[in-house]
Amino acid sequence: MPPHAIPFLDLKAITETQRADLTAAFNRVLDSGWFIMGQELKAFEQEYADYCGARFCIGVANGLDALSLSLRALGIGPGDEVIVPSNTYIATWLAITHVGATPVPVEPLAGGFNIDPARIQAAITPRTRAIMPVHLYGQPADMDAILAVAHAHGLKVVEDAAQAHGARYKGKRLGGHGDAVCWSFYPGKNLGCLGDGGGITTNDPALAERLHELRNYGSKVKYHNEIVGYNSRLDELQAALLRVKLKTLDSSNLRRTAVAQQYLDGLTGVDGLVLPQTYADSASAWHVFVIRHPQRDTLARQLAAAGIGTVIHYPVAPHLQAAYAGLGLAAGSLPRSESIHREVLSLPMGPTQTDDDTQRVIAAVRSALQTPAIQ
């Protein structure tokens, strides 16, 4: 009998572990008859703010809205520039474009995936208004260095923490370092709802108040609109489900860490394979486990043939997407990012993944890299 397939992420298995509590939360919302801007949202916002060590959490419709609304709330718009990693998912760039500002990409650390703080200084111009670091793949960016540059130049810091729920930087959970920290609760995230959802954490009461208005048509009081706002609200059902998921986030992240450590132990020293860096001053949420190899596509095909699911995060760098052709950043202009996007491959990762499956993945990677097609 052939071995079972190993999915990249088994959302059904993850959901099944909390079926009873999720069903109870669903029934609670159904029985309440209140589906938008109610007590479930209020409770989740307080619980998640407390979890992150922040004063406020504002639930919004999705992670992209969290980013764009944060920029709008900070007064960033046409004519402004925002420094952004060259290596990230395109949503980070889109948020900047949506408010009319211009993304200014900065390359990642050598051997790493996150923005290189030492390169930010050279990208600052008189039009720069903010820095938008991304905690990519769950690994915290170097916030002390980024904040030092921002404070020296009077810049705002809006963090994209969409993949980093529960990650720690120098012993403190992400969520309150920058002016605004933006979250996605997309189902595949470490803290994911059963639909779209997002949130913003902050320690700034004035910013929190403006975000509350912006997400709700620019209104503090129903039918009275102080500013031009948006309809971007985390609904009661998703808030209730997230309250359930939040209770097990730390234990889920511990399991992800255990899977990651097995990968690190089992794949260290394999010729041609580059493993993700770890840092003594931070704890990754291990949203995904990303390796690099110059023959990534061949490796992915061989793993698929062995019944192992993989995903490429991400195949095309933002500056090479057709959507950003107008920036005039040709191939070769951001070589570190381009090299990453050519070589990265995400191995199976999730809190329900067994040790046996993880060892199967390790063996399959080692076997594939010994084949003539890759050597």
Side-chain angles (χ1 to χ4, degrees):
M1 183 176 179
H4 65 273
I6 300 174
F8 169 71
L9 177 67
D10 194 341
L11 281 178
K12 185 176 180 180
I14 293 170
T15 304
E16 189 62 36
T17 64
Q18 296 177 296
R19 175 182 287 274
D21 289 339
L22 292 170
T23 300
F26 175 85
N27 288 335
R28 190 171 67 241
V29 174
L30 188 65
D31 292 342
S32 76
W34 196 296
F35 306 114
I36 299 288
M37 301 284 283
Q39 292 304 307
E40 294 291 346
L41 176 60
K42 184 177 180 180
F44 171 71
E45 288 176 333
Q46 186 61 61
E47 290 163 7
Y48 195 61
D50 291 344
Y51 176 85
C52 294
R55 291 183 62 188
F56 308 99
C57 173
I58 302 91
V60 296
N62 54 67
L64 177 54
D65 280 5
L67 293 165
S68 59
L69 291 178
S70 293
L71 293 172
R72 290 187 188 279
L74 291 167
I76 295 169
D80 296 331
E81 294 177 348
V82 177
I83 291 173
V84 67
S86 59
N87 176 50
T88 184
Y89 182 53
I90 198 170
T92 320
W93 287 43
L94 291 175
I96 299 167
T97 305
H98 283 179
V99 301
T102 301
V104 177
V106 168
E107 289 273 68
L109 292 159
F113 295 119
N114 286 333
I115 192 169
D116 184 350
R119 291 172 171 249
I120 293 176
Q121 178 76 38
I124 296 173
T125 75
R127 296 200 299 166
T128 306
R129 292 287 310 283
I131 304 171
M132 187 177 278
V134 180
H135 307 296
L136 196 62
Y137 308 143
Q139 175 62 55
D142 188 352
M143 290 308 301
D144 281 356
I146 293 167
L147 289 167
V149 176
H151 292 160
H153 294 271
L155 305 177
K156 299 296 184 181
V157 176
V158 177
E159 300 170 55
D160 183 341
Q163 301 179 354
H165 312 80
R168 292 178 181 269
Y169 176 74
K170 296 189 175 179
K172 179 183 176 183
R173 282 199 188 102
L174 297 177
H177 290 85
D179 295 281
V181 186
C182 303
W183 307 89
S184 168
F185 302 126
Y186 181 78
K189 306 299 186 185
N190 292 38
L191 179 62
C193 52
L194 303 188
D196 261 325
I200 305 151
T201 52
T202 183
N203 290 318
D204 184 338
L207 181 60
E209 182 178 1
R210 187 166 179 82
L211 285 165
H212 278 117
E213 292 180 77
L214 280 171
R215 74 167 178 190
N216 190 38
Y217 299 102
S219 173
K220 293 180 184 177
V221 178
K222 194 170 185 178
Y223 302 132
H224 295 267
N225 306 84
E226 287 79 17
I227 59 176
V228 176
Y230 304 84
N231 176 14
S232 182
R233 302 172 298 197
L234 181 66
D235 67 66
E236 285 290 279
L237 178 58
Q238 300 303 339
L241 299 175
L242 285 167
R243 294 181 68 194
V244 173
K245 295 289 196 80
L246 182 57
K247 293 176 182 177
T248 60
L249 177 57
D250 282 346
S251 60
S252 294
N253 281 352
L254 282 174
R255 180 59 197 159
R256 288 174 177 271
T257 301
V259 172
Q261 191 58 57
Q262 288 185 60
Y263 281 146
L264 292 170
D265 292 342
L267 295 173
T268 294
V270 176
D271 286 345
L273 192 66
V274 179
L275 300 179
Q277 290 189 355
T278 58
Y279 302 88
D281 62 357
S282 63
S284 176
W286 292 112
H287 174 58
V288 287
F289 189 92
V290 181
I291 60 175
R292 293 181 63 178
H293 193 277
Q295 296 189 56
R296 181 266 313 282
D297 293 339
T298 302
L299 175 58
R301 286 193 295 270
Q302 300 231 15
L303 292 177
I308 293 169
T310 61
V311 174
I312 298 172
H313 294 99
Y314 301 97
V316 182
H319 71 284
L320 297 181
Q321 298 279 5
Y324 284 100
L327 290 180
L329 295 170
S333 59
L334 296 166
R336 282 188 180 177
S337 180
E338 292 169 30
S339 176
I340 287 170
H341 288 260
R342 284 194 302 269
E343 297 180 356
V344 290
L345 185 69
S346 298
L347 300 181
M349 168 60 75
T352 60
Q353 186 168 311
T354 67
D355 290 348
D356 286 347
D357 281 352
T358 304
Q359 292 303 316
R360 263 189 62 199
V361 175
I362 292 169
V365 171
R366 284 182 164 274
S367 176
L369 293 179
Q370 292 174 355
T371 62
I374 291 182
Q375 287 183 334

